[in-house]
Amino acid sequence: MAVIESVEQRAESFVRSPRKLLIGGEWVEAVSGQTFETINPATEETLAQVAHGKAEDIDRAAKAARKAFAEDAPWRRMTASDRGRLIWRIAELIEENADELAMLESLDNGKPFTIAKAADVVLTADLFRYMAGWPTKIEGTTIPISALPAPGEYLAYTLREPVGVVGQIIPWNFPLVMASWKLGPALACGCTAVLKPAEQTPLSALRLGELMQEAGLPDGVVNIVTGFGDAGAALAAHDGVDKVAFTGSTEVGRLIVKAAAGNLKKLTLELGGKSPNVVFADADPESAIVGSANAIFFNTGQSCNAGSRLYVQKPIFDEIVSGVAEQAKRFKLAPGTDPEAQLGPLISDEQFEKVLGYLDSGRNEGAETVVGGARQGDRGYFVQPTVLTNTTPTMKVEREEIFGPVVCAIPFDDPDEIVPVANDTNYGLAAAVFSRDISKAHRTAKRLRAGTVYINTYGVVDAALPFGGYKESGWGRELGHEVLNNYLETKSVVAAL
Ligand code: NDP
């Protein structure tokens, strides 16, 4: 407890002074001079004052990023090896400041400090380390071409070049991890960036900006503009931005597609999900129960890949559902600064009302609540982990992304017919299969229309593993070497010999 208190004090000194925008290597106020408040979702109290960036600030940041991308600017003259070293140094500084980053994340987002430190901060540092290896390995190819009139008389090769200035818009559910998923590959590829954190959770990204400066990142390579949706909209529409990477709701994803049309900037989108988790009768019950509970309740259900539709084959339906309900009862919901907290509150009043609204809608449409179904306490945005049964495919709770700790448990009979049911959604981010029959598990994984399929586990994320969605869950992939394609152009060079 004493450790957590001392870290809390350290984080508080960061939170106490009004936080500014990072533009061109300087911490500056918004042009309007306005600020906004962030709220601690566990207490509903004001946490920090943050600069309210708007279109004019996005413009300043995009110009600073363009200047830093100039051919003769220090960033462009840096060797690939030095770029890799710098990214590695960022990872080291994240680890050296792990406690403070985890505490900022916990206060701002509500997630347990212990989980923020063991998962979010570790994944963030790991992402930068993984990306630090790439700058020296970004290569073109030499291509034999058959062009007439002089076959064999040409030398043709490709160059991979940074796409330019990138705009990056991130959500509040994993603020630091999302910042790293965006900034890591952009830096590895030699781009410059304007990052727009979510209005609810700007603090860890701002601290990351300081650490990047400490690592020696040249001015203007990473700019951070905090603000509301209007700052994000301005970034998506800005003519001086070559590419936008967005993570958030499918609804805003659609707005970004329209906004990006002006200068036809490149776009990658990582959007919502309603991921199916299929448990066959031959599954190991214990791993299916633990996996299915974590699939939905981790991060209080605020994960784009949450396993929110739990399909269980009839012979083991009762056993799995009561097991998941038991797990739900056992989770300790508490403010993130409680060392025993396992689940934190929802992020905001808005999200809290939205999730409670889904619970009402489910009940009104005939769903049964096995466990949970209500808020916890009268302070903070805590909602009990909830298992619903007796839902149907037309109910909102079974069709729409709730983004809270609510799972619909649905029995099925025929193992051959469950895949079309699982695929019957506009989304396609993730899916899971629990079975001890390895052929069945892999065959089912192949038929599921989702960007990631977990077998006998759920939610594994790794810097090396591509992540993204089919259908309305997005465009393109993050992570792995695939993400580099989002930040690189390919240039073909043809020389007559
Ligand atoms: P949003 O999609 O609104 O927010 C995500 C990011 O987009 C934020 O940085 C936000 O900025 C920015 N943004 C908002 N409007 C625009 C715009 N018009 N143009 C460009 N950027 C914009 O998510 P919400 O916070 O409103 O959450 C709503 C729902 O979205 C959740 O209930 C959940 O279903 C889903 N969601 C999905 C996530 C995922 O990981 N796939 C993550 C978060 C939410 P600002 O915060 O300043 O408004």
Side-chain angles (χ1 to χ4, degrees):
M1 191 70 181
V3 175
I4 286 190
E5 273 166 11
S6 82
V7 180
E8 209 174 340
Q9 280 162 13
R10 241 183 301 151
E12 260 181 42
S13 76
F14 181 82
V15 162
R16 220 171 292 131
S17 53
R19 304 319 313 178
K20 298 183 178 174
L21 314 174
L22 177 59
I23 298 181
E26 304 284 333
W27 292 95
V28 296
E29 289 180 6
V31 171
S32 68
Q34 291 174 2
T35 59
F36 66 94
E37 290 179 347
T38 61
I39 304 291
N40 178 337
T43 61
E44 302 178 42
E45 285 164 2
T46 301
L47 183 60
Q49 294 288 338
V50 180
H52 184 162
K54 298 185 183 178
E56 57 269 25
D57 302 293
I58 290 289
D59 187 51
R60 284 196 292 167
K63 286 181 175 141
R66 180 62 61 192
K67 192 169 162 212
F69 191 70
E71 257 177 17
D72 55 353
W75 180 238
R76 297 298 297 286
R77 297 179 63 80
M78 194 179 280
T79 64
S81 171
D82 283 345
R83 207 160 74 234
R85 236 184 287 255
L86 199 153
I87 299 171
W88 188 271
R89 181 70 192 131
I90 293 170
E92 286 176 338
L93 286 170
I94 289 166
E95 282 169 349
E96 286 168 24
N97 292 275
D99 281 336
E100 187 190 353
L101 287 166
M103 184 52 74
L104 288 174
E105 205 74 325
S106 176
L107 295 172
D108 213 10
N109 166 283
K111 64 179 70 192
F113 166 79
T114 48
I115 293 176
K117 189 172 172 193
D120 299 62
V121 175
V122 169
L123 285 172
T124 301
D126 197 46
L127 184 286
F128 282 105
R129 276 196 208 287
Y130 173 82
M131 288 299 164
W134 275 113
T136 50
K137 295 163 200 77
I138 293 171
E139 299 167 340
T141 47
T142 315
I143 300 170
I145 60 169
S146 311
L148 294 172
E153 284 301 305
Y154 294 103
L155 170 66
Y157 59 93
T158 57
L159 298 173
R160 307 300 311 277
E161 297 179 342
V163 77
V165 174
V166 300
Q168 311 194 300
I169 303 170
I170 56 172
W172 40 260
N173 51 347
F174 297 95
L176 191 60
V177 173
M178 289 297 113
S180 74
W181 283 24
K182 298 288 182 276
L183 293 173
L187 297 179
C189 294
C191 296
T192 60
V194 179
L195 178 75
K196 213 299 284 168
E199 74 202 52
Q200 299 86 349
T201 55
L203 299 178
S204 56
L206 294 171
R207 183 71 184 106
L208 179 64
E210 290 184 346
L211 295 177
M212 288 181 156
Q213 287 185 303
E214 193 180 331
L217 196 69
D219 292 348
V221 173
V222 168
N223 305 274
I224 306 177
V225 179
T226 48
F228 291 92
D230 50 355
L235 184 55
H238 200 287
D239 281 347
V241 172
D242 300 300
K243 177 221 156 42
V244 161
F246 170 74
T247 298
S249 61
T250 297
E251 185 193 352
V252 171
R254 284 199 181 89
L255 295 176
I256 288 179
V257 170
K258 288 187 191 144
N263 68 338
L264 287 177
K265 53 177 68 69
K266 316 250 171 312
L267 209 50
T268 42
L269 303 169
E270 201 263 275
L271 307 173
K274 188 75 184 173
S275 299
N277 173 16
V278 180
V279 179
F280 288 106
D282 58 13
D284 168 49
E286 198 183 325
S287 58
I289 287 168
V290 173
S292 303
N294 287 334
I296 184 63
F297 300 132
F298 178 68
N299 214 38
T300 319
Q302 302 170 116
S303 305
C304 48
N305 59 349
S308 49
R309 289 182 291 141
L310 171 61
Y311 295 102
V312 187
Q313 209 173 345
K314 277 190 179 154
I316 61 164
F317 183 77
D318 290 343
E319 180 185 3
I320 300 296
V321 171
S322 64
V324 172
E326 271 311 305
Q327 296 272 321
K329 278 188 223 155
R330 253 185 261 145
F331 283 118
K332 177 160 183 192
L333 268 78
T337 47
D338 180 332
E340 284 169 9
Q342 292 171 302
L343 297 180
L346 295 174
I347 187 69
S348 62
D349 187 28
E350 194 185 343
Q351 199 61 27
F352 180 70
E353 294 299 337
K354 179 179 161 186
V355 173
L356 292 181
Y358 273 111
L359 291 173
D360 283 342
S361 138
R363 271 188 292 263
N364 293 340
E365 290 187 299
E368 273 172 37
T369 307
V370 180
V371 68
R375 84 175 292 181
Q376 174 181 290
D378 53 11
R379 186 161 176 255
Y381 308 123
F382 293 94
V383 171
Q384 296 165 344
T386 300
V387 179
L388 302 178
T389 54
N390 212 23
T391 61
T392 66
T394 55
M395 287 185 190
K396 275 169 66 169
V397 284
E398 208 177 296
R399 292 218 73 78
E400 297 178 13
E401 181 177 52
I402 298 176
F403 227 65
V406 183
V407 65
C408 298
I410 305 149
F412 70 92
D413 261 325
D414 185 343
D416 291 328
E417 284 178 11
I418 189 56
V419 173
V421 174
N423 284 338
D424 180 22
T425 165
N426 292 343
Y427 294 113
L429 192 60
V433 185
F434 283 84
S435 170
R436 277 183 285 206
D437 176 339
I438 56 166
S439 296
K440 189 201 288 175
H442 287 288
R443 224 176 265 135
T444 307
K446 196 159 174 239
R447 293 174 63 207
L448 287 163
R449 303 268 300 152
T452 301
V453 181
Y454 309 103
I455 297 178
N456 294 330
T457 184
Y458 204 99
V460 177
V461 172
D462 191 279
L465 195 64
F467 185 89
Y470 285 34
K471 300 190 267 181
E472 291 180 22
S473 289
W475 290 352
R477 292 292 175 273
E478 309 223 58
L479 307 181
H481 56 77
E482 271 203 49
V483 71
L484 304 177
N485 293 328
N486 303 338
Y487 293 91
L488 292 169
E489 294 279 16
T490 300
K491 179 182 285 172
S492 295
V493 181
V494 187
L497 294 178

